[in-house]
């Protein structure tokens, strides 16, 4: 046996138990078990005691998969690839990252919705084996739309879009699975898109619900060209409408004037008001503050409607400030001292 053969044989010898392998890969043992059971990422040997034993080759494959998962690739896709393919994909990803870091003219970040002007053209990225051929001519004929690129659904295709910026990802795929959802979400983040439109042939209800929960526009194929164009034009016009409304609002609302206990005490300190207006005002301030916080949370979690939620956040803040001022006016009329403003942090 040559020295090379001996080295290969040694690398394939099962020797590491699950806990040791997971520690070397830097993942929880539970994650390793899920990867094996659900995706069959490796096929470890089993000792007479029943323990799973992993070879150095198994550990190396798991390390590659972990690195690629950290870079945004889906575990379902990676599990089907051979180890040399994983190595090539990681090498290409690192090369692309290096080029981006060394670029002397990086792509400028898109302005946040609160400062952005209304969109005049919707930048569209086409995804799918035949999406570029089928839809490019149709969409480029629409004044509101601008096709910035197209790609197939292969793992390597992601490397070609890291320099692109798009507002909408339009994907035409025959069958949808949960791993497809993960891939589309990752692709959407790569190009900094607000929303997806997915044209599909077949999908189960779980997959469709996952897409709907992300605000995806769903259309069943076959789809007429004018139907897709109209759906995208409606989207950009909706964004324009909200952006214009956002610009008409004054600056962001002032911070909350009262805290929870202060509101309660203030309402209870006005016994001379025969009706319950102070109490109602206090409840309105509380509810508007809660909706203000909810809209801010939606703004960070829902990229498809980020401008809408930025608008709602600002409207709720100004409404809350108006109700606070109304409550303070009633209190002054009743001769009740106002609680001190909370310090702005």
């Amino acid at each position: 046996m040559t020295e090379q053969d001996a080295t290969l044989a040694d690398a394939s010898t099962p020797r590491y138990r699950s806990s040791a392998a997971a520690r070397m890969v830097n993942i929880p043992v539970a994650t390793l078990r899920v990867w094996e059971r659900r995706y069959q990422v490796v096929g470890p040997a089993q000792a007479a005691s029943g323990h799973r034993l992993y070879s150095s080759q198994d550990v190396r494959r798991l390390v590659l998969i972990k690195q690629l998962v950290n870079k945004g690739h889906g575990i379902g896709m990676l599990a089907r690839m051979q180890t040399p393919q994983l190595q090539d994909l990681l090498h290409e990803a690192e090369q692309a990252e290096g080029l981006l870091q060394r670029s002397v003219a990086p792509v400028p970040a898109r302005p946040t919705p609160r400062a952005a002007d209304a969109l005049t053209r919707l930048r569209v990225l086409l995804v799918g084996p035949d999406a570029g051929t089928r839809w490019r001519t149709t969409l480029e004929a629409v004044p509101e739309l601008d096709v910035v690129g197209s790609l197939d659904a292969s793992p390597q295709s992601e490397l070609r879009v890291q320099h692109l910026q798009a507002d909408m990802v339009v994907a035409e795929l025959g069958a949808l699975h949960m791993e497809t959802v993960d891939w589309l979400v990752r692709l959407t983040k790569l190009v900094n898109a607000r929303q997806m439109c997915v044209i599909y042939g077949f999908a189960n209800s779980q997959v469709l619900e996952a897409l709907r929960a992300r605000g995806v526009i769903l259309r069943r194929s076959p789809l007429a060209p004018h139907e897709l164009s109209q759906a995208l034009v409606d989207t950009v016009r909706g964004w324009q409408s909200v952006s214009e409304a956002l610009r008409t609002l004054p600056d962001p609302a002032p911070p909350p004037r009262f805290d929870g206990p202060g509101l309660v005490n203030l309402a209870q300190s006005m016994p001379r008001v025969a009706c319950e207006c102070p109490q109602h005002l206090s409840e309105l301030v509380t509810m508007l503050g809660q909706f203000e916080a909810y809209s801010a949370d939606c703004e960070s979690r829902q990229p498809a409607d980020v401008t809408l939620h930025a608008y709602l956040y600002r409207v709720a803040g100004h409404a809350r400030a108006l109700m606070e001022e109304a409550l303070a006016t009633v209190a002054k009329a009743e001769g009740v001292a106002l609680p001190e403003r909370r310090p702005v942090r």
Side-chain angles (χ1 to χ4, degrees), residues 111-115 194 246 252 291-315:
T112 59
R114 294 183 187 182
R194 292 184 178 186
L246 186 60
F291 184 70
E292 184 181 8
Y294 174 78
S295 298
D297 186 56
C298 287
E299 182 182 351
S300 63
R301 293 173 180 266
Q302 302 290 336
D305 298 318
V306 63
T307 310
L308 173 61
H309 289 109
Y311 170 74
L312 294 176
Y313 166 75
R314 195 173 295 186
V315 167

Side-chain angles (χ1 to χ4, degrees), residues 110 119 121-129 131-132 135 139 145-153 157-158 161-162 164-173 176 180-200 211 214-219 223 228 231-232 235-236 239 303-304:
R110 196 169 60 199
L119 288 171
R121 291 174 67 86
L122 184 74
R123 297 171 295 178
V124 178
L125 174 65
L126 300 174
V127 177
W135 299 112
L139 298 185
L145 306 179
D146 181 18
V147 178
V148 296
S150 62
L151 66 151
D152 56 28
S157 63
E158 293 181 30
V161 302
Q162 298 199 23
L164 291 178
Q165 294 280 293
D167 301 300
M168 172 80 77
V169 171
V170 176
E172 183 175 27
L173 302 168
L176 302 179
T180 314
V181 176
D182 296 337
W183 182 74
L184 287 172
V185 170
R186 183 172 65 253
L187 183 64
T188 300
K189 291 179 179 178
L190 276 175
V191 299
N192 201 26
R194 292 184 178 186
Q195 197 166 20
M196 283 186 277
C197 175
V198 176
I199 307 162
Y200 70 97
L211 290 170
R214 290 167 171 81
V216 176
I217 300 171
L218 289 172
R219 294 292 187 272
L223 185 69
L228 177 59
L232 301 189
T235 297
V236 71
W239 290 348

Side-chain angles (χ1 to χ4, degrees), residues 9-320:
D10 183 66
S12 61
T13 301
R15 64 180 65 189
Y16 304 109
R17 292 176 59 172
S18 298
S19 57
R23 188 166 56 253
M24 287 187 286
V25 181
N26 195 25
I27 60 174
V29 175
T31 299
L32 177 57
R33 289 174 179 164
V34 169
W35 282 7
E36 285 183 23
R37 183 175 64 253
R38 187 174 300 176
Y39 302 106
Q40 295 81 50
V41 291
V42 291
Q46 192 166 16
S49 61
H51 293 295
R52 294 176 180 272
L53 295 177
Y54 300 80
S55 67
S56 297
Q57 290 177 349
D58 290 333
V59 173
R60 174 57 181 160
R61 175 176 173 81
L62 290 168
V63 168
L64 288 170
I65 290 176
K66 171 66 161 45
Q67 291 174 319
L68 287 164
V69 166
N70 288 345
K71 292 182 181 298
H73 294 275
I75 180 66
M77 175 197 73
L78 298 173
R80 298 195 301 269
M81 300 176 68
Q82 300 297 318
T83 300
Q85 292 177 303
L86 295 173
Q87 183 64 67
D88 290 342
L89 183 58
L90 180 62
H91 179 66
E92 291 175 1
E94 290 174 343
Q95 281 188 322
E97 289 174 357
L99 289 172
L100 287 174
Q101 291 171 359
R102 293 192 298 270
S103 174
V104 296
V107 176
R110 196 169 60 199
T112 59
R114 294 183 187 182
D117 292 333
L119 288 171
T120 56
R121 291 174 67 86
L122 184 74
R123 297 171 295 178
V124 178
L125 174 65
L126 300 174
V127 177
D130 303 313
T133 304
R134 189 187 306 273
W135 299 112
R136 180 182 286 273
T137 301
T138 297
L139 298 185
E140 286 181 340
V142 181
E144 292 92 340
L145 306 179
D146 181 18
V147 178
V148 296
S150 62
L151 66 151
D152 56 28
S154 66
Q156 291 78 8
S157 63
E158 293 181 30
L159 300 175
R160 301 201 304 270
V161 302
Q162 298 199 23
H163 67 286
L164 291 178
Q165 294 280 293
D167 301 300
M168 172 80 77
V169 171
V170 176
E172 183 175 27
L173 302 168
L176 302 179
H177 307 283
M178 286 306 298
E179 63 189 60
T180 314
V181 176
D182 296 337
W183 182 74
L184 287 172
V185 170
R186 183 172 65 253
L187 183 64
T188 300
K189 291 179 179 178
L190 276 175
V191 299
N192 201 26
R194 292 184 178 186
Q195 197 166 20
M196 283 186 277
C197 175
V198 176
I199 307 162
Y200 70 97
F202 298 94
N204 62 39
S205 57
Q206 181 183 9
V207 171
L208 295 179
E209 285 304 315
L211 290 170
R212 291 191 184 100
R214 290 167 171 81
V216 176
I217 300 171
L218 289 172
R219 294 292 187 272
R220 189 77 180 267
S221 62
L223 185 69
H226 74 274
E227 292 179 307
L228 177 59
S229 299
Q230 190 61 53
L232 301 189
V233 168
D234 288 344
T235 297
V236 71
R237 288 176 180 169
W239 290 348
Q240 287 175 338
S241 175
V242 174
S243 295
E244 290 165 1
L246 186 60
R247 291 202 307 275
T248 64
L249 286 172
D251 292 333
R257 187 168 182 175
F258 311 114
D259 58 18
L263 274 174
V264 173
N265 293 335
L266 186 59
Q268 293 176 347
S269 300
M270 291 183 273
R272 291 187 297 169
V273 180
C275 63
E276 297 181 356
C277 285
Q279 182 64 35
H280 293 324
L281 284 171
S282 174
E283 291 171 354
L284 283 171
V285 169
T286 299
M287 292 179 65
L288 286 168
Q290 292 172 344
F291 184 70
E292 184 181 8
Y294 174 78
S295 298
D297 186 56
C298 287
E299 182 182 351
S300 63
R301 293 173 180 266
Q302 302 290 336
D305 298 318
V306 63
T307 310
L308 173 61
H309 289 109
Y311 170 74
L312 294 176
Y313 166 75
R314 195 173 295 186
V315 167
H318 284 289
R320 182 257 309 152

